[in-house]
Amino acid sequence: MEDTAGSNPQSLGFTEKLKSWLSWSWTYVCFIWFGMVLIMIYVLWSPLKLQETLTSASVFLNTLTPKFYVALTGTSSLISGLILIFEWWYFRKYGTSFIEQVSVSHLRPLLGGVESSSTTGLFASVNGEAEPRPSVSECKVWRNPLNLFRGAEYNRYTWVTGKEPLTYYDMNLSAQDHQTFFTGDTPQLRPEDAVMQKAWRERNPQARIRAAYQAIEMNQECAAAYVLLAEEEATTITEAERLFKKALTIAGKDINLLVYIKRRLAMCARKLGRIKEAVKMMRDLMKEFPLLGMLNIHENLLEALLELQAYADVQAVLAKYDDISLPKSATICYTSALLKARAVSDKFSPEAASRRGLSTAEMNAVEAIHRAVEFNPHVPKYLLEMKSLILPPEHILKRGDSEAVAYAFFHLQHWKRAEGALNLLHCTWEGTFRIIPYPLEKGHLFYPYPGCTETADRELLPSFHEVSVYPKKELPFFILFTAGLCSFTAMLAMLTHQFPELMGVFAKAFFSTLFAPLGFFADKMESFMPSSFWHQLTRI
């Protein structure tokens, strides 16, 4: 057994060496093969009567009418045009070239290509330490702290527009959250809990509501059932608040239920205009459960404080949570930028700043904007209303378009309220991209921008929304190639149809020039090699 185990690494090492050698020698093998083909053609030129074959082929081609060439080039243009349309559609939908994807997936392994490791590369973090670059699987999706109510808000949007604001992927994540949050710590499921677990998994909203009523029939004190009804059946915020209060009275000592219900009650108070009451409830919740920072209740608090225009309190919250050791969010970064911009934006003028330079306060505001834009570059277009807003999803991807939609949906009004803040943002936000010319490779204040955000955002955001992509992708080579091929062959078809004789002369001149190097190579080979050598070689 030991000998067998010891021999495996050696065999694996030999295989890897052989594979790397083949990969290294592939380019040279191609050149050698091409040279051997040329030599073989020259050697077999006389025995196979290739000269006579080419002569008969040229006679045949000369007998073809211009209509044949028009049909040939026209068909080539049509086929390349169809390929171009398909490639463009595939790129718009999936963000990559179909031909390139197939080539990389199937041809690269055959040519000895090796996948570049995304988990072993190192890059500098904010504090200067080297940490591994996050892989695609580490693009974590977070629960949206300010997610709307399905019955009172999302469903009303569907009734008015006929569009579904939530994707199935997003709702499935919510179902998993609810199952884990409300029944994950229960040692033994009660019958009503089993019904509720099934209810969260139901795709049909009416089936979920019926299951909630079934759980209430089994146990009048099933708080999770009232939570579901408040979220999905209540058509107004007032009705949802009533059901949440009912759930709160019967929640008992279940911490997860208590935290969830109290947070949603605070959000109901915020939506109904009782802002101070909402702020008090959020502060009490954070004080009562200080270890639940992962729920990001402070983001709800920041939004409510901004509505009260209590900027000193906002700064105090930021001082606690905008720490280098804590995970950032668009809310943290852009709220910090808003406070610094607000201090100078009312008197800011681009012309005056270009003449006299930026003051210290203006420089701090610009740097805060650059920091926020580096963290999430999708937000400014929504704040500046260069891109239309939609209802935010129930889950977001940090630094992605989904987070930008969620932030701008709730905070655009706060930026508009600060006089000149949007003007300062408009004048300075694009300067961020000069600081980070290669955002996927190296960041300035944060990690390099993750390359997986587009895929995750397409799953989280509805299909009618045009997902914002950063950095902007260039058109793949094969789209440009097929566009050029389609245009070129269409032009040839048109010219051949209009000027058949002139195009015939042009074609003969083109092919004569194309094959001139081969004739020159053959003459040099004849003068270099003795005639007896070629005679013996042809006899073989």
Side-chain angles (χ1 to χ4, degrees):
M1 293 293 291
E2 291 178 1
D3 295 339
T4 306
S7 62
N8 285 338
Q10 295 178 359
S11 61
L12 288 174
F14 175 76
T15 305
E16 291 297 326
K17 288 181 180 179
L18 180 62
K19 186 175 180 180
S20 62
W21 182 83
L22 289 174
S23 177
W24 172 79
S25 62
W26 184 262
T27 305
Y28 304 99
V29 170
C30 289
F31 281 111
I32 295 172
W33 177 82
F34 183 70
M36 291 177 64
V37 168
L38 291 178
I39 294 173
M40 188 64 66
I41 291 174
Y42 181 80
V43 169
L44 299 177
W45 189 267
S46 297
L48 296 181
K49 299 181 180 180
L50 295 180
Q51 182 66 40
E52 291 80 354
T53 304
L54 288 176
T55 303
S56 59
S58 62
V59 171
F60 172 75
L61 293 175
N62 288 330
T63 58
L64 295 175
T65 62
K67 292 183 179 179
F68 170 80
Y69 294 105
V70 172
L72 179 65
T73 51
T75 305
S76 302
S77 177
L78 175 63
I79 294 174
S80 56
L82 293 175
I83 295 174
L84 172 63
I85 293 172
F86 174 76
E87 277 283 294
W88 178 257
W89 169 81
Y90 195 88
F91 174 73
R92 293 284 294 178
K93 186 170 184 180
Y94 299 105
T96 186
S97 163
F98 175 77
I99 300 175
E100 182 179 337
Q101 187 178 27
V102 171
S103 303
V104 171
S105 302
H106 296 88
L107 299 182
R108 189 176 181 183
L110 297 177
L111 299 178
V114 184
E115 292 285 341
S116 60
S117 174
S118 62
T119 56
T120 56
L122 298 179
F123 61 94
S125 64
V126 178
N127 56 10
E129 298 176 358
E131 297 182 8
R133 177 192 295 269
S135 63
V136 173
S137 61
E138 292 176 345
C139 282
K140 182 180 177 181
V141 174
W142 297 73
R143 182 83 176 174
N144 182 3
L146 288 85
N147 66 305
L148 304 178
F149 295 86
R150 286 192 188 176
E153 293 173 302
Y154 287 120
N155 287 349
R156 291 168 70 90
Y157 176 84
T158 303
W159 297 336
V160 173
T161 65
K163 297 178 180 179
E164 290 290 343
L166 297 176
T167 63
Y168 172 67
Y169 175 71
D170 192 14
M171 291 190 290
N172 188 49
L173 289 176
S174 297
Q176 295 175 18
D177 292 342
H178 292 143
Q179 283 181 270
T180 305
F181 206 61
F182 297 145
T183 57
D185 297 333
T186 307
Q188 184 175 0
L189 284 180
R190 298 171 298 180
E192 60 271 21
D193 292 332
V195 171
M196 287 307 301
Q197 273 208 333
K198 183 180 177 182
W200 296 123
R201 292 196 299 267
E202 290 285 353
R203 294 188 64 174
N204 189 331
Q206 295 304 318
R208 290 195 292 270
I209 293 171
R210 284 195 300 269
Y213 278 116
Q214 181 184 350
I216 291 174
E217 289 177 3
M218 299 172 69
N219 183 359
Q220 291 291 325
E221 295 189 352
C222 182
Y226 286 101
V227 168
L228 189 147
L229 294 177
E231 291 285 354
E232 305 210 19
E233 189 186 38
T235 56
T236 63
I237 300 298
T238 303
E239 187 180 352
E241 184 180 40
R242 179 183 63 79
L243 289 168
F244 276 122
K245 286 181 177 178
K246 171 69 174 176
L248 183 62
T249 60
I250 58 177
K253 297 182 179 180
D254 190 327
I255 294 179
N256 290 341
L257 264 175
L258 286 172
V259 171
Y260 186 91
I261 294 170
K262 288 183 178 181
R263 179 182 194 166
R264 292 306 257 177
L265 281 171
M267 294 175 71
C268 288
R270 162 68 182 91
K271 293 175 185 292
L272 293 172
R274 306 196 305 269
I275 316 295
K276 292 183 178 180
E277 179 185 342
V279 168
K280 182 179 184 305
M281 294 172 70
M282 292 172 192
R283 289 189 186 278
D284 292 342
L285 191 57
M286 294 169 64
K287 189 180 298 183
E288 186 178 359
F289 304 102
L291 299 180
L292 293 179
M294 67 184 74
L295 299 178
N296 297 322
I297 302 174
H298 59 275
E299 297 196 9
N300 300 80
L301 178 60
L302 283 173
E303 197 280 326
L305 290 172
L306 285 171
E307 181 63 21
L308 289 174
Q309 301 185 44
Y311 297 111
D313 292 337
V314 173
Q315 186 61 58
V317 175
L318 285 177
K320 181 177 180 181
Y321 289 96
D322 193 6
D323 186 85
I324 194 170
S325 62
L326 296 176
K328 298 294 180 292
S329 67
T331 301
I332 293 290
C333 295
Y334 277 90
T335 301
S336 177
L338 173 61
L339 292 189
K340 292 180 179 178
R342 177 181 165 273
V344 298
S345 58
D346 57 336
K347 299 177 182 178
F348 177 77
S349 169
E351 295 79 11
S354 62
R355 288 195 305 270
R356 59 173 169 77
L358 295 174
S359 65
T360 303
E362 290 173 338
M363 183 64 71
N364 291 337
V366 171
E367 288 177 353
I369 290 175
H370 287 174
R371 171 178 178 260
V373 174
E374 181 184 352
F375 182 83
N376 193 316
H378 308 282
V379 172
K381 287 189 176 181
Y382 294 107
L383 293 180
L384 298 172
E385 298 181 274
M386 300 164 63
K387 205 171 187 310
S388 58
L389 270 173
I390 60 171
L391 295 186
E394 293 184 336
H395 289 81
I396 59 173
L397 181 68
K398 288 192 175 183
R399 307 188 74 177
D401 190 33
S402 51
E403 184 191 34
V405 168
Y407 172 79
F409 184 85
F410 294 100
H411 289 262
L412 175 58
Q413 56 180 330
H414 306 314
W415 279 82
K416 286 184 174 181
R417 190 178 293 125
E419 183 182 354
L422 288 175
N423 177 47
L424 180 60
L425 177 68
H426 175 73
C427 295
T428 57
W429 75 279
E430 291 182 309
T432 310
F433 307 130
R434 291 192 292 270
I435 303 174
I436 43 174
Y438 305 104
L440 297 178
E441 300 174 11
K442 185 179 180 181
H444 179 60
L445 297 174
F446 297 101
Y447 296 139
Y449 190 79
C452 59
T453 56
E454 180 185 358
T455 304
D457 281 332
R458 290 186 189 277
E459 295 285 344
L460 292 170
L461 296 169
S463 57
F464 59 81
H465 174 71
E466 184 181 353
V467 174
S468 176
V469 179
Y470 175 80
K472 278 292 183 183
K473 290 185 176 180
E474 297 181 358
L475 286 176
F477 165 76
F478 286 104
I479 289 183
L480 300 175
F481 176 75
T482 50
L485 182 63
C486 178
S487 304
F488 178 70
T489 50
M491 182 184 67
L492 283 182
M494 183 186 67
L495 291 175
T496 306
H497 178 70
Q498 294 293 329
F499 312 102
E501 296 181 0
L502 182 62
M503 289 301 294
V505 173
F506 173 77
K508 289 179 182 178
F510 173 75
F511 284 112
S512 299
T513 306
L514 182 65
F515 290 110
L518 293 178
F520 177 78
F521 175 76
D523 293 340
K524 287 296 182 181
M525 288 294 290
E526 282 187 357
S527 62
F528 180 73
M529 293 290 185
S531 58
S532 58
F533 174 78
W534 295 114
H535 179 69
Q536 295 296 329
L537 202 59
T538 52
R539 289 184 62 185
I540 295 174

